[in-house]
Amino acid sequence: MYHELPGIRPTMNDGDGTPRAAVLVPLFVSNGALRLILTKRPMHMPTHAGDLAFPGGKPHTGEEPVDTALREAHEEVGIPPGRVEVLGFLPEIHTVSYSRMVVPVVGILSGQPELRPDPGEVEKVLLPEVDPFRDEHRWRVEYWDDRPVYFFPLDEEILWGATARMVRQLIGLDRA
Protein backbone atom coordinates (compact mmCIF):
# COMPACT_ATOMS: atom_id res chain seq x y z
CA MET A 1 0.00 0.00 0.00
CA TYR A 2 1.33 3.43 -0.86
CA HIS A 3 0.19 7.01 -1.12
CA GLU A 4 0.80 8.60 -4.52
CA LEU A 5 2.46 11.96 -4.64
CA PRO A 6 0.31 14.31 -6.75
CA GLY A 7 0.39 13.78 -10.51
CA ILE A 8 3.12 11.13 -10.59
CA ARG A 9 2.36 7.65 -11.90
CA PRO A 10 5.43 5.62 -12.84
CA THR A 11 5.21 3.20 -15.71
CA MET A 12 6.80 -0.23 -15.66
CA ASN A 13 8.66 0.09 -18.95
CA ASP A 14 10.36 2.58 -21.21
CA GLY A 15 8.69 3.04 -24.59
CA ASP A 16 10.83 0.22 -26.00
CA GLY A 17 9.73 -2.23 -23.28
CA THR A 18 12.91 -1.90 -21.18
CA PRO A 19 11.97 -2.30 -17.49
CA ARG A 20 12.65 0.77 -15.39
CA ALA A 21 15.13 0.71 -12.54
CA ALA A 22 14.06 2.00 -9.12
CA VAL A 23 15.65 3.56 -6.05
CA LEU A 24 14.33 4.02 -2.55
CA VAL A 25 14.46 7.58 -1.20
CA PRO A 26 14.48 6.56 2.48
CA LEU A 27 13.51 9.15 5.08
CA PHE A 28 13.48 8.89 8.86
CA VAL A 29 13.32 11.21 11.87
CA SER A 30 16.15 11.23 14.39
CA ASN A 31 16.46 13.72 17.27
CA GLY A 32 13.66 15.79 15.74
CA ALA A 33 15.38 16.13 12.33
CA LEU A 34 14.21 14.58 9.07
CA ARG A 35 17.09 12.66 7.49
CA LEU A 36 17.91 10.80 4.28
CA ILE A 37 19.85 7.58 3.80
CA LEU A 38 22.46 7.88 1.05
CA THR A 39 25.16 5.43 0.03
CA LYS A 40 28.57 5.95 -1.52
CA ARG A 41 29.12 3.41 -4.28
CA PRO A 42 32.48 1.60 -4.36
CA MET A 43 34.91 2.41 -7.16
CA HIS A 44 34.62 -1.10 -8.62
CA MET A 45 30.93 -0.69 -9.53
CA PRO A 46 30.14 -0.77 -13.28
CA THR A 47 27.93 2.35 -13.11
CA HIS A 48 28.11 5.45 -10.92
CA ALA A 49 31.36 4.30 -9.24
CA GLY A 50 32.22 6.52 -6.27
CA ASP A 51 28.95 8.46 -6.48
CA LEU A 52 26.50 9.18 -3.70
CA ALA A 53 23.21 7.46 -4.45
CA PHE A 54 19.99 6.16 -3.03
CA PRO A 55 19.82 2.36 -2.71
CA GLY A 56 18.36 0.82 -5.84
CA GLY A 57 18.95 -0.92 -9.13
CA LYS A 58 17.54 -3.06 -11.91
CA PRO A 59 14.23 -4.89 -11.50
CA HIS A 60 13.89 -8.63 -11.33
CA THR A 61 11.38 -10.16 -13.76
CA GLY A 62 7.85 -9.02 -12.97
CA GLU A 63 8.81 -6.52 -10.27
CA GLU A 64 7.01 -3.22 -9.88
CA PRO A 65 9.19 -0.17 -9.02
CA VAL A 66 8.19 -0.38 -5.35
CA ASP A 67 9.25 -4.04 -5.20
CA THR A 68 12.61 -3.24 -6.81
CA ALA A 69 13.32 -0.27 -4.54
CA LEU A 70 12.46 -2.17 -1.35
CA ARG A 71 14.42 -5.28 -2.38
CA GLU A 72 17.49 -3.28 -3.36
CA ALA A 73 17.42 -1.20 -0.14
CA HIS A 74 17.28 -4.42 1.86
CA GLU A 75 20.14 -5.98 -0.12
CA GLU A 76 22.37 -2.88 -0.09
CA VAL A 77 21.91 -1.48 3.43
CA GLY A 78 19.65 -3.92 5.30
CA ILE A 79 16.45 -1.87 5.46
CA PRO A 80 13.63 -4.36 6.15
CA PRO A 81 10.89 -3.81 3.53
CA GLY A 82 8.21 -4.09 6.22
CA ARG A 83 9.64 -1.05 8.02
CA VAL A 84 9.09 1.24 5.01
CA GLU A 85 5.86 3.15 4.52
CA VAL A 86 5.87 4.04 0.83
CA LEU A 87 4.64 7.61 0.38
CA GLY A 88 4.77 7.76 -3.41
CA PHE A 89 7.10 8.62 -6.27
CA LEU A 90 9.24 11.45 -7.55
CA PRO A 91 9.36 12.04 -11.32
CA GLU A 92 11.18 9.36 -13.30
CA ILE A 93 14.72 10.40 -14.11
CA HIS A 94 17.36 9.51 -16.67
CA THR A 95 21.08 9.50 -15.94
CA VAL A 96 23.85 10.14 -18.42
CA SER A 97 25.69 6.86 -17.82
CA TYR A 98 22.74 4.51 -17.33
CA SER A 99 20.43 3.47 -20.15
CA ARG A 100 17.27 2.88 -18.07
CA MET A 101 14.86 5.41 -16.66
CA VAL A 102 14.88 5.35 -12.85
CA VAL A 103 11.77 5.55 -10.65
CA PRO A 104 12.45 7.21 -7.26
CA VAL A 105 10.20 5.61 -4.61
CA VAL A 106 9.83 7.79 -1.51
CA GLY A 107 9.43 5.95 1.79
CA ILE A 108 9.55 6.82 5.46
CA LEU A 109 10.88 4.59 8.22
CA SER A 110 9.71 4.53 11.81
CA GLY A 111 12.94 5.75 13.40
CA GLN A 112 16.54 5.21 12.40
CA PRO A 113 17.07 1.68 11.14
CA GLU A 114 20.01 -0.50 12.06
CA LEU A 115 21.87 -0.42 8.77
CA ARG A 116 24.03 -3.28 7.48
CA PRO A 117 25.79 -2.04 4.34
CA ASP A 118 26.84 -4.71 1.83
CA PRO A 119 30.56 -3.99 1.25
CA GLY A 120 30.25 -5.25 -2.33
CA GLU A 121 27.75 -2.47 -3.14
CA VAL A 122 28.27 0.23 -0.51
CA GLU A 123 31.52 1.93 0.51
CA LYS A 124 29.82 4.00 3.21
CA VAL A 125 26.44 5.28 4.37
CA LEU A 126 25.58 8.93 4.96
CA LEU A 127 22.60 10.13 7.02
CA PRO A 128 22.28 13.85 6.24
CA GLU A 129 19.56 16.08 7.62
CA VAL A 130 17.12 17.30 4.95
CA ASP A 131 16.95 20.97 6.08
CA PRO A 132 20.43 22.03 4.84
CA PHE A 133 19.45 20.96 1.31
CA ARG A 134 16.78 23.69 1.36
CA ASP A 135 19.46 26.42 1.36
CA GLU A 136 19.79 27.30 -2.34
CA HIS A 137 23.07 29.14 -1.61
CA ARG A 138 24.77 25.87 -0.67
CA TRP A 139 24.09 24.39 -4.12
CA ARG A 140 26.38 24.90 -7.12
CA VAL A 141 25.14 24.47 -10.68
CA GLU A 142 26.97 23.75 -13.94
CA TYR A 143 25.39 23.48 -17.35
CA TRP A 144 26.21 20.37 -19.37
CA ASP A 145 24.74 20.48 -22.89
CA ASP A 146 22.44 23.27 -21.68
CA ARG A 147 21.11 21.11 -18.82
CA PRO A 148 21.62 22.12 -15.19
CA VAL A 149 23.71 19.71 -13.09
CA TYR A 150 23.59 20.43 -9.36
CA PHE A 151 26.30 19.84 -6.76
CA PHE A 152 26.04 19.91 -2.95
CA PRO A 153 28.99 19.46 -0.53
CA LEU A 154 28.21 16.73 1.98
CA ASP A 155 30.54 15.26 4.63
CA GLU A 156 33.72 15.46 2.52
CA GLU A 157 31.75 14.12 -0.46
CA ILE A 158 29.84 15.79 -3.27
CA LEU A 159 26.22 14.96 -3.99
CA TRP A 160 25.58 15.57 -7.68
CA GLY A 161 23.82 14.38 -10.80
CA ALA A 162 20.60 12.37 -10.75
CA THR A 163 20.60 11.86 -6.98
CA ALA A 164 21.06 15.60 -6.38
CA ARG A 165 18.16 16.25 -8.76
CA MET A 166 15.98 13.78 -6.82
CA VAL A 167 16.83 15.53 -3.54
CA ARG A 168 15.96 18.90 -5.07
CA GLN A 169 12.65 17.52 -6.34
CA LEU A 170 11.91 15.97 -2.95
CA ILE A 171 12.28 19.29 -1.14
CA GLY A 172 10.59 21.35 -3.85
CA LEU A 173 13.56 23.25 -5.32
CA ASP A 174 13.09 21.62 -8.73
CA ARG A 175 10.04 20.57 -10.67
CA ALA A 176 10.06 17.79 -13.24
Coordinates of all heavy atoms in Angstrom, one line a residue, residues 27-75:
L27 N 13.6 8.1 4.1 CA 13.5 9.2 5.1 C 13.3 8.6 6.5 O 12.6 7.6 6.6 CB 12.4 10.1 4.7 CG 12.4 10.8 3.4 CD1 11.1 11.4 3.0 CD2 13.5 11.9 3.4
F28 N 13.8 9.2 7.5 CA 13.5 8.9 8.9 C 13.7 10.1 9.7 O 14.4 11.0 9.3 CB 14.3 7.7 9.3 CG 15.8 7.9 9.5 CD1 16.3 8.3 10.7 CD2 16.6 7.9 8.4 CE1 17.7 8.5 10.9 CE2 18.0 8.1 8.5 CZ 18.5 8.5 9.8
V29 N 13.1 10.1 10.9 CA 13.3 11.2 11.9 C 14.2 10.7 13.0 O 14.0 9.6 13.6 CB 12.0 11.7 12.4 CG1 12.2 12.8 13.5 CG2 11.1 12.2 11.3
S30 N 15.2 11.5 13.3 CA 16.1 11.2 14.4 C 16.4 12.5 15.1 O 16.8 13.5 14.5 CB 17.4 10.6 13.9 OG 18.4 10.4 14.9
N31 N 16.3 12.5 16.4 CA 16.5 13.7 17.3 C 15.7 14.9 16.7 O 16.2 16.0 16.7 CB 18.0 14.0 17.4 CG 18.7 12.9 18.2 OD1 18.2 12.3 19.1 ND2 19.9 12.6 17.7
G32 N 14.5 14.7 16.2 CA 13.7 15.8 15.7 C 14.0 16.3 14.3 O 13.3 17.2 13.9
A33 N 15.0 15.7 13.7 CA 15.4 16.1 12.3 C 15.0 15.1 11.3 O 15.3 13.9 11.5 CB 16.9 16.4 12.3
L34 N 14.5 15.5 10.2 CA 14.2 14.6 9.1 C 15.5 14.3 8.4 O 16.3 15.3 8.0 CB 13.2 15.2 8.1 CG 12.7 14.3 7.0 CD1 12.0 13.1 7.4 CD2 11.8 15.1 6.0
R35 N 15.8 13.0 8.1 CA 17.1 12.7 7.5 C 16.9 11.7 6.3 O 15.8 11.1 6.2 CB 18.0 11.9 8.5 CG 18.4 12.8 9.6 CD 19.3 12.0 10.6 NE 19.9 12.8 11.6 CZ 21.0 13.5 11.6 NH1 21.7 13.4 10.5 NH2 21.4 14.2 12.5
L36 N 17.9 11.7 5.4 CA 17.9 10.8 4.3 C 19.0 9.7 4.5 O 19.9 9.9 5.3 CB 18.4 11.6 3.0 CG 17.5 12.6 2.4 CD1 18.2 13.4 1.3 CD2 16.3 11.9 1.8
I37 N 18.8 8.6 3.8 CA 19.9 7.6 3.8 C 20.4 7.6 2.4 O 19.7 7.3 1.4 CB 19.3 6.2 4.2 CG1 18.7 6.2 5.6 CG2 20.4 5.1 4.0 CD1 18.0 5.0 6.0
L38 N 21.7 7.9 2.3 CA 22.5 7.9 1.0 C 23.6 6.9 1.2 O 24.1 6.7 2.3 CB 23.0 9.3 0.7 CG 22.0 10.3 0.4 CD1 22.7 11.7 0.4 CD2 21.5 10.1 -1.0
T39 N 24.0 6.3 0.0 CA 25.2 5.4 0.0 C 26.2 6.0 -0.9 O 25.9 6.7 -1.8 CB 24.8 4.0 -0.5 OG1 24.4 4.1 -1.8 CG2 23.7 3.4 0.3
K40 N 27.5 5.7 -0.6 CA 28.6 5.9 -1.5 C 28.9 4.6 -2.2 O 29.2 3.6 -1.5 CB 29.8 6.5 -0.8 CG 30.9 6.8 -1.8 CD 32.1 7.5 -1.2 CE 33.1 7.7 -2.3 NZ 34.3 8.4 -1.7
R41 N 28.9 4.6 -3.5 CA 29.1 3.4 -4.3 C 30.6 3.2 -4.4 O 31.4 4.1 -4.6 CB 28.5 3.5 -5.7 CG 26.9 3.6 -5.6 CD 26.3 3.8 -6.9 NE 26.7 2.9 -7.9 CZ 26.1 1.7 -8.1 NH1 25.2 1.3 -7.4 NH2 26.5 0.9 -9.1
P42 N 31.0 1.9 -4.2 CA 32.5 1.6 -4.4 C 33.0 1.9 -5.8 O 32.2 1.9 -6.7 CB 32.6 0.1 -4.1 CG 31.3 -0.3 -3.4 CD 30.3 0.7 -3.9
M43 N 34.3 2.1 -5.9 CA 34.9 2.4 -7.2 C 34.9 1.3 -8.2 O 35.0 1.5 -9.3 CB 36.4 2.9 -6.9 CG 36.5 4.2 -6.2 SD 35.5 5.5 -7.0 CE 36.4 5.7 -8.5
H44 N 34.6 0.0 -7.7 CA 34.6 -1.1 -8.6 C 33.3 -1.3 -9.3 O 33.1 -2.2 -10.2 CB 35.0 -2.4 -7.9 CG 34.0 -2.9 -6.9 ND1 34.0 -2.5 -5.6 CD2 32.9 -3.6 -7.1 CE1 33.0 -3.1 -5.0 NE2 32.3 -3.7 -5.9
M45 N 32.3 -0.5 -9.0 CA 30.9 -0.7 -9.5 C 30.9 -0.3 -11.0 O 31.6 0.6 -11.4 CB 29.9 0.2 -8.8 CG 29.7 -0.2 -7.3 SD 29.2 -1.9 -7.0 CE 27.5 -1.8 -7.5
P46 N 30.1 -1.0 -11.8 CA 30.1 -0.8 -13.3 C 29.5 0.5 -13.7 O 29.8 1.1 -14.7 CB 29.4 -2.0 -13.9 CG 28.6 -2.5 -12.7 CD 29.3 -2.2 -11.5
T47 N 28.5 1.0 -12.8 CA 27.9 2.3 -13.1 C 28.0 3.2 -11.8 O 27.9 2.7 -10.7 CB 26.4 2.2 -13.6 OG1 25.7 1.6 -12.5 CG2 26.3 1.4 -14.9
H48 N 28.1 4.5 -12.0 CA 28.1 5.5 -10.9 C 29.1 5.2 -9.8 O 28.9 5.4 -8.6 CB 26.7 5.6 -10.3 CG 25.6 5.7 -11.4 ND1 25.6 6.9 -12.1 CD2 24.6 4.9 -11.8 CE1 24.5 6.8 -13.0 NE2 24.0 5.6 -12.8
A49 N 30.3 4.6 -10.2 CA 31.4 4.3 -9.2 C 31.8 5.5 -8.5 O 32.0 6.6 -9.0 CB 32.6 3.7 -10.0
G50 N 31.8 5.4 -7.1 CA 32.2 6.5 -6.3 C 31.2 7.6 -6.0 O 31.4 8.5 -5.2
D51 N 30.0 7.5 -6.6 CA 28.9 8.5 -6.5 C 28.1 8.2 -5.2 O 28.0 7.1 -4.8 CB 28.0 8.4 -7.7 CG 28.6 9.0 -9.0 OD1 29.7 9.5 -8.9 OD2 28.0 8.9 -10.0
L52 N 27.5 9.3 -4.7 CA 26.5 9.2 -3.7 C 25.2 8.9 -4.4 O 24.8 9.5 -5.4 CB 26.4 10.5 -2.9 CG 27.6 10.9 -2.2 CD1 27.3 12.2 -1.4 CD2 28.2 9.8 -1.3
A53 N 24.4 7.9 -3.8 CA 23.2 7.5 -4.5 C 22.2 7.0 -3.4 O 22.6 6.6 -2.3 CB 23.5 6.3 -5.4
F54 N 21.0 6.9 -3.8 CA 20.0 6.2 -3.0 C 20.1 4.7 -3.4 O 20.5 4.3 -4.5 CB 18.6 6.7 -3.4 CG 18.3 8.1 -2.9 CD1 18.0 9.1 -3.8 CD2 18.3 8.4 -1.6 CE1 17.8 10.4 -3.4 CE2 18.1 9.7 -1.2 CZ 17.8 10.7 -2.1
P55 N 19.8 3.8 -2.4 CA 19.8 2.4 -2.7 C 18.8 2.0 -3.8 O 17.7 2.5 -3.8 CB 19.4 1.7 -1.4 CG 19.1 2.7 -0.4 CD 19.3 4.1 -1.0
G56 N 19.2 1.2 -4.8 CA 18.4 0.8 -5.8 C 19.1 0.1 -6.9 O 20.3 -0.2 -6.9
G57 N 18.3 -0.2 -8.0 CA 18.9 -0.9 -9.1 C 17.9 -1.5 -10.1 O 16.8 -1.0 -10.2
K58 N 18.4 -2.5 -10.9 CA 17.5 -3.1 -11.9 C 16.5 -3.9 -11.3 O 16.7 -4.6 -10.3 CB 18.4 -3.9 -12.8 CG 19.4 -3.2 -13.6 CD 20.3 -4.1 -14.4 CE 21.4 -3.4 -15.1 NZ 22.3 -4.4 -15.8
P59 N 15.3 -4.0 -12.0 CA 14.2 -4.9 -11.5 C 14.5 -6.3 -11.8 O 15.2 -6.7 -12.8 CB 13.0 -4.4 -12.3 CG 13.6 -3.9 -13.5 CD 14.9 -3.3 -13.2
H60 N 14.0 -7.2 -11.0 CA 13.9 -8.6 -11.3 C 12.6 -8.8 -12.2 O 11.7 -8.0 -12.2 CB 13.8 -9.5 -10.1 CG 15.1 -9.6 -9.3 ND1 15.2 -10.2 -8.1 CD2 16.3 -9.1 -9.6 CE1 16.4 -10.1 -7.7 NE2 17.1 -9.5 -8.5
T61 N 12.5 -9.9 -12.9 CA 11.4 -10.2 -13.8 C 10.1 -10.0 -13.0 O 9.9 -10.6 -11.9 CB 11.5 -11.6 -14.3 OG1 12.7 -11.7 -15.1 CG2 10.3 -11.9 -15.3
G62 N 9.2 -9.2 -13.5 CA 7.8 -9.0 -13.0 C 7.7 -8.0 -11.8 O 6.7 -7.8 -11.3
E63 N 8.9 -7.5 -11.4 CA 8.8 -6.5 -10.3 C 8.2 -5.2 -10.7 O 8.5 -4.7 -11.7 CB 10.2 -6.3 -9.7 CG 10.7 -7.3 -8.7 CD 12.0 -6.9 -8.1 OE1 12.8 -6.1 -8.7 OE2 12.3 -7.4 -7.0
E64 N 7.5 -4.6 -9.8 CA 7.0 -3.2 -9.9 C 8.1 -2.3 -9.3 O 9.0 -2.8 -8.5 CB 5.7 -3.0 -9.1 CG 4.5 -3.8 -9.6 CD 3.9 -3.2 -10.8 OE1 4.1 -2.0 -11.0 OE2 3.3 -4.0 -11.6
P65 N 8.1 -1.0 -9.6 CA 9.2 -0.2 -9.0 C 9.3 -0.2 -7.5 O 10.4 -0.2 -6.9 CB 8.8 1.2 -9.5 CG 8.1 1.0 -10.8 CD 7.3 -0.3 -10.6
V66 N 8.1 -0.3 -6.8 CA 8.2 -0.4 -5.3 C 8.9 -1.6 -4.9 O 9.7 -1.6 -4.0 CB 6.8 -0.3 -4.7 CG1 6.8 -0.7 -3.3 CG2 6.2 1.1 -5.0
D67 N 8.6 -2.8 -5.5 CA 9.3 -4.0 -5.2 C 10.8 -3.9 -5.4 O 11.5 -4.4 -4.5 CB 8.7 -5.2 -6.1 CG 7.2 -5.4 -6.0 OD1 6.7 -5.2 -4.9 OD2 6.6 -5.7 -7.0
T68 N 11.2 -3.4 -6.5 CA 12.6 -3.2 -6.8 C 13.3 -2.4 -5.8 O 14.3 -2.7 -5.2 CB 12.8 -2.7 -8.2 OG1 12.2 -3.5 -9.2 CG2 14.3 -2.5 -8.5
A69 N 12.7 -1.2 -5.5 CA 13.3 -0.3 -4.5 C 13.5 -0.9 -3.2 O 14.5 -0.8 -2.5 CB 12.5 1.0 -4.5
L70 N 12.4 -1.6 -2.7 CA 12.5 -2.2 -1.3 C 13.5 -3.3 -1.3 O 14.2 -3.5 -0.3 CB 11.1 -2.6 -0.9 CG 10.0 -1.5 -0.7 CD1 8.7 -2.1 -0.4 CD2 10.5 -0.6 0.4
R71 N 13.5 -4.2 -2.3 CA 14.4 -5.3 -2.4 C 15.9 -4.8 -2.4 O 16.7 -5.2 -1.6 CB 14.2 -6.2 -3.6 CG 15.2 -7.3 -3.8 CD 15.0 -8.1 -5.0 NE 14.9 -7.3 -6.2 CZ 15.9 -6.7 -6.9 NH1 17.1 -6.8 -6.4 NH2 15.7 -6.1 -8.0
E72 N 16.1 -3.8 -3.3 CA 17.5 -3.3 -3.4 C 17.9 -2.6 -2.1 O 19.1 -2.7 -1.7 CB 17.6 -2.3 -4.5 CG 17.5 -3.0 -5.9 CD 18.8 -3.6 -6.3 OE1 19.9 -3.4 -5.7 OE2 18.8 -4.4 -7.3
A73 N 17.1 -1.8 -1.4 CA 17.4 -1.2 -0.1 C 17.7 -2.2 0.9 O 18.6 -2.0 1.7 CB 16.3 -0.3 0.3
H74 N 17.0 -3.3 0.9 CA 17.3 -4.4 1.9 C 18.6 -5.1 1.5 O 19.5 -5.3 2.4 CB 16.2 -5.5 1.8 CG 16.3 -6.5 2.9 ND1 16.7 -7.8 2.6 CD2 16.2 -6.4 4.2 CE1 16.7 -8.5 3.7 NE2 16.5 -7.7 4.7
E75 N 18.9 -5.3 0.3 CA 20.1 -6.0 -0.1 C 21.3 -5.1 0.1 O 22.4 -5.5 0.6 CB 20.1 -6.4 -1.6 CG 19.2 -7.5 -1.9 CD 19.0 -7.7 -3.4 OE1 19.7 -7.0 -4.3 OE2 18.2 -8.6 -3.8

